[in-house]
Amino acid sequence: MASYHGPRGRWYRELLGQGSGALHVGGRRVPVRAVPSPAAADAVVGAFQAKYAGDPALPAMAEPDVLATILRLEPLEAAP
């Protein structure tokens, strides 16, 4: 996951500041820890290109300041 607004994105700042957060999936809350993962840039750009092909915002999604915000979300506890 990456912040479209780069490091000034609200959710990005809050998640890094708190060190953890939660995803809401299928009615469940899954606690997660955010881990910076700039090494995943190629995979993220590929996913953006596949999902947003033809979108005029696509070039902005691959800007260095956006790619620098790539986070890997790791579950804090096993989901049932």
Side-chain angles (χ1 to χ4, degrees):
M1 102 180 303
S3 171
Y4 178 77
H5 295 289
R8 60 185 194 283
R10 179 180 167 213
W11 70 262
Y12 178 80
R13 290 190 329 266
E14 289 179 2
L15 185 57
L16 280 186
Q18 295 174 4
S20 63
L23 294 176
H24 296 268
V25 181
R28 293 183 313 151
R29 182 180 184 278
V30 180
V32 295
R33 170 182 45 239
V35 179
S37 185
D42 289 340
V44 170
V45 169
F48 284 165
Q49 289 171 336
K51 183 173 182 177
Y52 300 106
D55 188 316
L58 181 58
M61 293 179 199
E63 289 290 325
D65 64 331
V66 171
L67 297 179
T69 66
I70 294 172
L71 300 172
R72 182 178 66 248
L73 301 180
E74 299 177 346
L76 289 175
E77 58 189 49

